[in-house]
Amino acid sequence: MNPTEMTRMKPQILIARAIFPEVIAKLAQHFDVESNPSDALWTQAELTHKLQGRQGVFTTGGERIDAELLAACPDLKICANMAVGYNNFDIAAMTAAGVLGTNAPDVLTETTADFGFALLMATARRMAEAEHFLRAGHWTRWRYDMFAGADIHGATLGILGMGRIGQGIARRGAMGFGMKVIYHNRSRLDAATEAECKASFVGKEELLRSADHLVLVLPYSASSHHAIGAAELAQMKPTATLVNIARGGIVDDAALAVALRNKTIAAAGLDVFEGEPKVHPDLLTVPNVVLTPHIASATMPTRLAMAHLAADNLIGYLIHNKPLTPLNPAVLAL
Ligand code: DGY
């Protein structure tokens, strides 16, 4: 068989966004690859068109894989997300179509927990507000209450969503900063994990009422849509801070902007937004919010590990029939 015939026999995959060249090179050893080095943002129609005849797609969390796309791409067998979150996948439709979904868990846990804590500290200690003030040339003298914020050490840390990242934040708070940690989750952790994280399970209302700093780390789904809206914000302490590193849509951003303006809560730190990369215009005009562009997992080693894991899922499934982190393993039994 000549090299051209061998290339023709390789499964075909699409890489939907620009990614690390070394990961593309690894995939090219196994697949006929179309990549996107210019990082063009394809429409749904363009994505569907580019997937014709392809068995796999490397996605990065923003590409929507739904029933309509699946019906139009009958050769597709696997969608490998370079993200732990997978709310861009309609998993039920993928399972019905016999298409495997994979995500990239674990490799980003500690990095994302680091960022959650960094955002919490920047928010509580008003770092962004203070920096803007300084850059604008307003710093002319000391004042007893200048940018006085809230303490982190010894405060009560509330965590909504206690998966791997939530547990990482709990450990940082309890062991690094002597915080009292309370959490709410769909299901309570086992006693050993609670003890390891020094975290106590509470109801959602108690979490809202008692937390000095509330961090959101729950997955997005129809049931977590606007889990924090006007009613929930009203239950929080006026001195409390809220940090969202989970997904846009979990917080009602319009209601949050009102709460921040009215000082219903003291401050917020947001890495994710409803309809991102658009940001609710009212959030851009309130001072007491720290805004970052969805970068919680963004360190070079972690992003590289995430990309390798997505690539290894494509290779694992299409070449060896053994994906590493399947989301809908029922497809493997088909
Ligand atoms: C994830 O992995 O879900 C993150 O939000 C992407 O950075």
Side-chain angles (χ1 to χ4, degrees):
M1 195 181 308
N2 66 41
T4 317
E5 283 168 333
M6 281 180 68
T7 305
R8 238 185 248 131
M9 290 193 59
K10 286 179 176 176
Q12 300 193 27
I13 66 155
L14 178 71
I15 303 176
R17 297 291 305 275
I19 59 160
F20 297 91
E22 61 262 51
V23 176
I24 300 177
K26 173 161 97 173
L27 287 165
Q29 289 172 17
H30 302 274
F31 304 118
D32 173 1
V33 175
E34 179 178 350
S35 64
N36 181 2
S38 70
D39 207 24
L41 291 179
W42 296 324
T43 63
Q44 199 68 4
E46 286 166 335
L47 178 64
T48 306
H49 178 71
K50 284 182 180 293
L51 281 174
Q52 295 311 300
R54 302 208 174 261
Q55 288 80 53
V57 60
F58 183 118
T59 51
T60 58
E63 301 77 17
R64 202 171 75 244
I65 304 296
D66 58 16
E68 196 182 334
L69 178 139
L70 293 165
C73 303
D75 296 312
L76 197 58
K77 293 190 169 12
I78 173 172
C79 305
N81 231 18
M82 181 189 149
V84 65
Y86 52 91
N87 53 306
N88 56 319
F89 289 173
D90 181 338
I91 287 289
M94 288 170 72
T95 306
V99 174
L100 188 73
T102 63
N103 67 339
D106 302 325
V107 290
L108 48 52
T109 300
E110 298 303 324
T111 294
T112 307
D114 281 351
F115 187 87
F117 221 86
L119 192 52
L120 162 57
M121 295 187 82
T123 303
R125 297 303 305 271
R126 305 176 62 183
M127 283 177 164
E129 246 183 297
E131 198 206 1
H132 292 152
F133 171 88
L134 181 150
R135 282 182 188 273
H138 297 319
W139 186 28
T140 53
R141 57 185 175 152
W142 179 91
R143 224 192 105 85
Y144 75 98
D145 61 349
M146 190 166 77
F147 296 108
D151 270 326
I152 292 156
H153 69 274
T156 297
L157 171 62
I159 301 176
L160 185 56
M162 197 62 158
R164 289 161 286 220
I165 297 169
Q167 291 168 33
I169 292 170
R171 284 195 306 272
R172 281 161 179 75
M175 286 157 218
F177 292 83
M179 299 178 90
K180 175 183 172 190
V181 181
I182 54 177
Y183 76 96
H184 184 71
N185 199 43
R186 263 176 314 187
S187 46
R188 188 172 174 168
L189 300 179
D190 61 67
T193 311
E194 278 190 358
E196 193 219 321
C197 298
K198 299 193 193 308
S200 311
F201 182 82
V202 294
K204 187 176 170 189
E205 274 195 36
E206 186 179 340
L207 186 82
L208 294 168
R209 275 191 279 106
S210 307
D212 295 311
H213 306 290
L214 178 61
V215 182
L216 309 179
V217 209
L218 64 169
Y220 180 81
S221 66
S223 60
S224 63
H225 182 75
H226 286 187
I228 302 292
E232 289 75 17
L233 291 161
Q235 292 178 63
M236 293 175 68
K237 297 179 184 180
T239 49
T241 63
L242 173 73
V243 168
N244 187 8
I245 56 164
R247 275 292 180 272
I250 290 174
V251 174
D252 177 343
D253 285 350
L256 176 60
V258 172
L260 289 169
R261 198 176 299 284
N262 295 342
K263 303 277 174 65
T264 307
I265 64 168
L270 306 174
D271 187 48
V272 288
F273 304 88
E274 284 190 281
E276 64 186 49
K278 289 199 183 111
V279 175
H280 194 289
D282 294 351
L283 287 173
L284 297 172
T285 60
V286 284
N288 44 344
V289 61
V290 182
L291 307 168
T292 53
H294 203 150
I295 55 168
S297 66
T299 65
M300 287 306 262
T302 291
R303 284 285 165 88
L304 187 59
M306 291 164 73
H308 273 297
L309 181 49
D312 290 343
N313 269 309
L314 286 161
I315 297 165
Y317 188 46
L318 291 176
I319 306 296
H320 307 296
N321 203 28
K322 275 202 182 119
L324 303 181
T325 51
L327 292 166
N328 51 349
V331 167
L332 303 173
L334 295 176

